[in-house]
PDB file of all heavy atoms in Angstrom:
ATOM      1  N   VAL A 167      -9.906 -12.029  -4.481  1.00  0.00           N
ATOM      2  CA  VAL A 167     -10.433 -11.710  -5.823  1.00  0.00           C
ATOM      3  C   VAL A 167     -11.923 -11.388  -5.734  1.00  0.00           C
ATOM      4  O   VAL A 167     -12.673 -12.113  -5.062  1.00  0.00           O
ATOM      5  CB  VAL A 167     -10.252 -12.930  -6.761  1.00  0.00           C
ATOM      6  CG1 VAL A 167     -10.706 -12.605  -8.179  1.00  0.00           C
ATOM      7  CG2 VAL A 167      -8.805 -13.397  -6.788  1.00  0.00           C
ATOM      8  N   ALA A 168     -12.337 -10.342  -6.443  1.00  0.00           N
ATOM      9  CA  ALA A 168     -13.770 -10.017  -6.492  1.00  0.00           C
ATOM     10  C   ALA A 168     -14.347 -10.466  -7.831  1.00  0.00           C
ATOM     11  O   ALA A 168     -13.718 -10.275  -8.876  1.00  0.00           O
ATOM     12  CB  ALA A 168     -13.965  -8.523  -6.328  1.00  0.00           C
ATOM     13  N   ALA A 169     -15.539 -11.062  -7.796  1.00  0.00           N
ATOM     14  CA  ALA A 169     -16.172 -11.528  -9.039  1.00  0.00           C
ATOM     15  C   ALA A 169     -17.688 -11.400  -8.926  1.00  0.00           C
ATOM     16  O   ALA A 169     -18.253 -11.481  -7.820  1.00  0.00           O
ATOM     17  CB  ALA A 169     -15.794 -12.989  -9.301  1.00  0.00           C
ATOM     18  N   VAL A 170     -18.330 -11.236 -10.083  1.00  0.00           N
ATOM     19  CA  VAL A 170     -19.792 -11.112 -10.121  1.00  0.00           C
ATOM     20  C   VAL A 170     -20.407 -12.493  -9.896  1.00  0.00           C
ATOM     21  O   VAL A 170     -20.077 -13.450 -10.595  1.00  0.00           O
ATOM     22  CB  VAL A 170     -20.254 -10.555 -11.486  1.00  0.00           C
ATOM     23  CG1 VAL A 170     -21.771 -10.522 -11.568  1.00  0.00           C
ATOM     24  CG2 VAL A 170     -19.683  -9.162 -11.703  1.00  0.00           C
ATOM     25  N   THR A 171     -21.312 -12.578  -8.918  1.00  0.00           N
ATOM     26  CA  THR A 171     -21.975 -13.860  -8.655  1.00  0.00           C
ATOM     27  C   THR A 171     -23.470 -13.802  -8.976  1.00  0.00           C
ATOM     28  O   THR A 171     -24.130 -14.841  -9.019  1.00  0.00           O
ATOM     29  CB  THR A 171     -21.769 -14.286  -7.180  1.00  0.00           C
ATOM     30  OG1 THR A 171     -21.828 -13.127  -6.339  1.00  0.00           O
ATOM     31  CG2 THR A 171     -20.431 -14.967  -6.993  1.00  0.00           C
ATOM     32  N   ASP A 172     -23.985 -12.596  -9.166  1.00  0.00           N
ATOM     33  CA  ASP A 172     -25.382 -12.495  -9.608  1.00  0.00           C
ATOM     34  C   ASP A 172     -25.548 -11.269 -10.509  1.00  0.00           C
ATOM     35  O   ASP A 172     -25.807 -10.160 -10.028  1.00  0.00           O
ATOM     36  CB  ASP A 172     -26.321 -12.392  -8.393  1.00  0.00           C
ATOM     37  CG  ASP A 172     -27.785 -12.456  -8.831  1.00  0.00           C
ATOM     38  OD1 ASP A 172     -28.049 -12.435 -10.056  1.00  0.00           O
ATOM     39  OD2 ASP A 172     -28.668 -12.509  -7.950  1.00  0.00           O
ATOM     40  N   PRO A 173     -25.398 -11.468 -11.834  1.00  0.00           N
ATOM     41  CA  PRO A 173     -25.469 -10.327 -12.753  1.00  0.00           C
ATOM     42  C   PRO A 173     -26.873  -9.748 -12.865  1.00  0.00           C
ATOM     43  O   PRO A 173     -27.052  -8.623 -13.345  1.00  0.00           O
ATOM     44  CB  PRO A 173     -25.005 -10.914 -14.098  1.00  0.00           C
ATOM     45  CG  PRO A 173     -25.163 -12.393 -13.969  1.00  0.00           C
ATOM     46  CD  PRO A 173     -25.120 -12.735 -12.515  1.00  0.00           C
ATOM     47  N   GLU A 174     -27.897 -10.517 -12.435  1.00  0.00           N
ATOM     48  CA  GLU A 174     -29.292 -10.049 -12.580  1.00  0.00           C
ATOM     49  C   GLU A 174     -29.645  -8.986 -11.539  1.00  0.00           C
ATOM     50  O   GLU A 174     -30.560  -8.203 -11.731  1.00  0.00           O
ATOM     51  CB  GLU A 174     -30.274 -11.226 -12.444  1.00  0.00           C
ATOM     52  CG  GLU A 174     -30.046 -12.371 -13.426  1.00  0.00           C
ATOM     53  CD  GLU A 174     -30.026 -11.898 -14.872  1.00  0.00           C
ATOM     54  OE1 GLU A 174     -30.803 -10.988 -15.206  1.00  0.00           O
ATOM     55  OE2 GLU A 174     -29.205 -12.422 -15.646  1.00  0.00           O
ATOM     56  N   ARG A 175     -28.952  -9.000 -10.430  1.00  0.00           N
ATOM     57  CA  ARG A 175     -29.275  -8.003  -9.386  1.00  0.00           C
ATOM     58  C   ARG A 175     -28.925  -6.601  -9.851  1.00  0.00           C
ATOM     59  O   ARG A 175     -28.046  -6.420 -10.677  1.00  0.00           O
ATOM     60  CB  ARG A 175     -28.435  -8.273  -8.126  1.00  0.00           C
ATOM     61  CG  ARG A 175     -28.861  -9.471  -7.368  1.00  0.00           C
ATOM     62  CD  ARG A 175     -28.006  -9.549  -6.116  1.00  0.00           C
ATOM     63  NE  ARG A 175     -28.444 -10.650  -5.306  1.00  0.00           N
ATOM     64  CZ  ARG A 175     -28.528 -10.622  -3.979  1.00  0.00           C
ATOM     65  NH1 ARG A 175     -28.174  -9.551  -3.314  1.00  0.00           N
ATOM     66  NH2 ARG A 175     -28.953 -11.661  -3.324  1.00  0.00           N
ATOM     67  N   LYS A 176     -29.553  -5.624  -9.238  1.00  0.00           N
ATOM     68  CA  LYS A 176     -29.242  -4.220  -9.536  1.00  0.00           C
ATOM     69  C   LYS A 176     -28.919  -3.513  -8.218  1.00  0.00           C
ATOM     70  O   LYS A 176     -29.824  -3.350  -7.399  1.00  0.00           O
ATOM     71  CB  LYS A 176     -30.431  -3.502 -10.199  1.00  0.00           C
ATOM     72  CG  LYS A 176     -30.887  -4.112 -11.499  1.00  0.00           C
ATOM     73  CD  LYS A 176     -30.476  -3.248 -12.672  1.00  0.00           C
ATOM     74  CE  LYS A 176     -30.812  -3.824 -14.021  1.00  0.00           C
ATOM     75  NZ  LYS A 176     -30.368  -5.155 -14.347  1.00  0.00           N
ATOM     76  N   PRO A 177     -27.660  -3.159  -7.950  1.00  0.00           N
ATOM     77  CA  PRO A 177     -26.458  -3.459  -8.721  1.00  0.00           C
ATOM     78  C   PRO A 177     -26.125  -4.943  -8.645  1.00  0.00           C
ATOM     79  O   PRO A 177     -26.605  -5.639  -7.740  1.00  0.00           O
ATOM     80  CB  PRO A 177     -25.388  -2.609  -8.021  1.00  0.00           C
ATOM     81  CG  PRO A 177     -25.878  -2.444  -6.621  1.00  0.00           C
ATOM     82  CD  PRO A 177     -27.366  -2.436  -6.698  1.00  0.00           C
ATOM     83  N   PRO A 178     -25.284  -5.430  -9.577  1.00  0.00           N
ATOM     84  CA  PRO A 178     -24.980  -6.860  -9.624  1.00  0.00           C
ATOM     85  C   PRO A 178     -24.395  -7.364  -8.312  1.00  0.00           C
ATOM     86  O   PRO A 178     -23.695  -6.632  -7.611  1.00  0.00           O
ATOM     87  CB  PRO A 178     -23.935  -6.968 -10.742  1.00  0.00           C
ATOM     88  CG  PRO A 178     -23.983  -5.697 -11.484  1.00  0.00           C
ATOM     89  CD  PRO A 178     -24.555  -4.651 -10.588  1.00  0.00           C
ATOM     90  N   GLY A 179     -24.717  -8.614  -7.988  1.00  0.00           N
ATOM     91  CA  GLY A 179     -24.142  -9.225  -6.788  1.00  0.00           C
ATOM     92  C   GLY A 179     -22.680  -9.560  -7.047  1.00  0.00           C
ATOM     93  O   GLY A 179     -22.356 -10.216  -8.047  1.00  0.00           O
ATOM     94  N   ILE A 180     -21.825  -9.086  -6.176  1.00  0.00           N
ATOM     95  CA  ILE A 180     -20.381  -9.343  -6.310  1.00  0.00           C
ATOM     96  C   ILE A 180     -19.945 -10.070  -5.046  1.00  0.00           C
ATOM     97  O   ILE A 180     -20.393  -9.730  -3.943  1.00  0.00           O
ATOM     98  CB  ILE A 180     -19.615  -8.002  -6.477  1.00  0.00           C
ATOM     99  CG1 ILE A 180     -19.912  -7.417  -7.862  1.00  0.00           C
ATOM    100  CG2 ILE A 180     -18.106  -8.192  -6.273  1.00  0.00           C
ATOM    101  CD1 ILE A 180     -19.363  -6.027  -8.102  1.00  0.00           C
ATOM    102  N   SER A 181     -19.089 -11.079  -5.200  1.00  0.00           N
ATOM    103  CA  SER A 181     -18.602 -11.807  -4.029  1.00  0.00           C
ATOM    104  C   SER A 181     -17.081 -11.789  -4.011  1.00  0.00           C
ATOM    105  O   SER A 181     -16.437 -11.589  -5.035  1.00  0.00           O
ATOM    106  CB  SER A 181     -19.113 -13.247  -4.032  1.00  0.00           C
ATOM    107  OG  SER A 181     -20.535 -13.236  -4.060  1.00  0.00           O
ATOM    108  N   ALA A 182     -16.535 -11.997  -2.806  1.00  0.00           N
ATOM    109  CA  ALA A 182     -15.071 -12.020  -2.652  1.00  0.00           C
ATOM    110  C   ALA A 182     -14.625 -13.457  -2.427  1.00  0.00           C
ATOM    111  O   ALA A 182     -15.300 -14.220  -1.717  1.00  0.00           O
ATOM    112  CB  ALA A 182     -14.669 -11.137  -1.475  1.00  0.00           C
ATOM    113  N   PHE A 183     -13.494 -13.808  -3.023  1.00  0.00           N
ATOM    114  CA  PHE A 183     -12.965 -15.173  -2.912  1.00  0.00           C
ATOM    115  C   PHE A 183     -11.499 -15.144  -2.510  1.00  0.00           C
ATOM    116  O   PHE A 183     -10.756 -14.247  -2.931  1.00  0.00           O
ATOM    117  CB  PHE A 183     -13.074 -15.895  -4.263  1.00  0.00           C
ATOM    118  CG  PHE A 183     -14.494 -16.066  -4.734  1.00  0.00           C
ATOM    119  CD1 PHE A 183     -15.099 -15.098  -5.530  1.00  0.00           C
ATOM    120  CD2 PHE A 183     -15.242 -17.177  -4.360  1.00  0.00           C
ATOM    121  CE1 PHE A 183     -16.416 -15.236  -5.954  1.00  0.00           C
ATOM    122  CE2 PHE A 183     -16.562 -17.328  -4.770  1.00  0.00           C
ATOM    123  CZ  PHE A 183     -17.142 -16.355  -5.572  1.00  0.00           C
TER     124      PHE A 183
END
Side-chain angles (χ1 to χ4, degrees):
V167 184
V170 176
T171 38
D172 187 353
E174 303 306 323
R175 288 184 176 220
K176 301 253 176 306
I180 289 173
S181 302
F183 297 90

